């Protein structure tokens, strides 16, 4: 079946540091890939997505590139802010054996940015 | 634009009591609907999904059930809560036509004492 692997964290960075959160996946076919962000006490928000190989998703200074050759979708940001502190989920969307769209989530990586 | 509502936002219930959490979606029709549970410090677990009225699929055996009485309404229920049912419950919807991303509600924090 489909699976997503990401570092659990927590990741602690100083403000303005460079961020990388690794994500690798296993899937059949051609899944879409996503990063979601969850701020404390809230639901998940879609941060960015990529639907085919070599696509780059970007939003709010974050970006991730769909690498089919390495089955990866690493999240990066050049300069983090305290307001970026949250839990980040990597996810993929593909069809299951029943023919419906299923999203598989990673375990989530907690990011803490300190001033 | 589409919006998704969940209520209540927080709930504290004794062991053995019933549960009913409600989720409604506005601004779309015939969505796929999902219930997830997020235990403290853990990832998301898909509990139920629905592709239409009255059509419910369960991902894992458990103490909970789900119903979809209307196109844009999804209800999570239990007859008798267990301590292990505590967690953060998230409802989500996706376009049944296949745009693939899921959109999440604000969640319900359930504490079973």
């Amino acid at each position: 079946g489909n699976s997503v692997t990401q570092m659990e964290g927590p990741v602690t960075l100083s403000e303005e540091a460079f961020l990388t959160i690794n994500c690798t996946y296993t899937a059949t076919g051609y899944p879409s890939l996503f990063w979601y962000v969850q701020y404390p006490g809230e639901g998940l928000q879609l941060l960015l997505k990529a639907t085919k190989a070599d696509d780059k998703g970007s939003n709010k200074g974050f970006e991730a590139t769909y690498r089919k050759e390495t089955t990866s979708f690493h999240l990066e940001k050049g300069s983090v802010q305290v307001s970026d502190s949250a839990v980040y989920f990597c996810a993929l969307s593909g069809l299951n054996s029943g023919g419906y769209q299923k999203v598989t989530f990673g375990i989530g990586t907690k990011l803490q940015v300190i001033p | 634009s589409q919006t998704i509502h969940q209520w209540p936002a927080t709930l504290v219930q004794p062991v053995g009591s019933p549960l009913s959490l409600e989720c409604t979606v506005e601004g779309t029709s015939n969505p796929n609907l999902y219930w997830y549970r997020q235990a403290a410090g853990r990832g998301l677990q898909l509990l139920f999904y629905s592709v239409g009225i009255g059509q419910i699929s369960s991902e894992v055996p458990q103490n909970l059930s789900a119903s979809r009485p209307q196109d844009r309404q999804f209800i999570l229920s239990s007859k008798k809560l267990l301590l292990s049912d505590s967690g953060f419950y998230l409802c989500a919807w996706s376009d049944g036509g296949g745009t693939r991303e899921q959109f999440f509600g604000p969640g319900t924090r359930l504490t079973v004492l």
Side-chain angles (χ1 to χ4, degrees):
Chain A
N2 298 339
S3 67
V4 175
T5 302
Q6 63 179 114
M7 60 174 71
E8 190 167 347
V11 174
T12 302
L13 294 174
S14 297
E15 205 166 21
E16 299 183 2
F18 184 88
L19 169 71
T20 299
I21 300 178
N22 289 339
C23 171
T24 57
Y25 68 90
T26 302
T28 55
Y30 303 93
S32 294
L33 302 174
F34 309 94
W35 278 100
Y36 286 85
V37 59
Q38 184 180 32
Y39 299 102
E42 299 183 8
L44 275 69
Q45 301 175 28
L46 180 65
L47 180 60
L48 54 84
K49 68 177 181 179
T51 58
K52 61 183 186 296
D54 299 325
D55 268 3
K56 178 185 285 187
S58 61
N59 185 26
K60 299 180 180 180
F62 291 89
E63 57 183 35
T65 301
Y66 189 144
R67 301 287 189 197
K68 192 167 178 62
E69 64 276 13
T70 54
T71 62
S72 65
F73 193 54
H74 304 323
L75 182 68
E76 297 181 336
K77 186 174 185 182
S79 176
V80 294
Q81 306 300 314
V82 173
S83 58
D84 293 327
S85 298
V87 179
Y88 292 82
F89 291 90
C90 185
L92 70 83
S93 177
L95 294 178
N96 75 349
S97 57
Y100 88 96
Q101 172 228 344
K102 179 176 181 178
V103 178
T104 302
F105 289 88
I107 196 167
T109 300
K110 184 174 182 178
L111 170 66
Q112 183 177 12
V113 180
I114 54 179
Chain B
S1 63
Q2 302 88 1
T3 56
I4 178 169
H5 305 279
Q6 282 187 248
W7 64 91
T10 59
L11 190 60
V12 180
Q13 291 285 94
V15 169
S17 63
L19 173 74
S20 180
L21 303 181
E22 189 163 343
C23 170
T24 58
V25 181
E26 297 177 356
T28 187
S29 59
N30 196 32
N32 292 338
L33 296 172
Y34 308 85
W35 277 113
Y36 290 89
R37 177 168 58 205
Q38 187 178 26
R42 301 180 66 179
L44 293 168
Q45 180 185 35
L46 178 63
L47 302 176
F48 300 95
Y49 68 91
S50 172
V51 299
I53 295 174
Q55 301 178 60
I56 309 294
S57 296
S58 174
E59 283 289 298
V60 293
Q62 59 205 308
N63 183 43
L64 302 168
S65 62
S67 61
R68 185 170 177 174
Q70 300 180 43
D71 182 45
R72 290 168 287 177
Q73 184 184 30
F74 205 24
I75 297 172
L76 184 69
S77 304
S78 174
K79 293 181 179 178
K80 289 185 178 182
L81 284 169
L82 306 172
L83 286 174
S84 58
D85 291 324
S86 293
F88 192 48
Y89 288 83
L90 291 160
C91 181
W93 73 272
S94 68
D95 185 339
T99 58
R100 301 188 177 190
E101 59 258 48
Q102 293 186 0
F103 301 93
F104 286 80
T108 295
R109 173 74 59 192
L110 172 65
T111 303
V112 182
L113 302 175

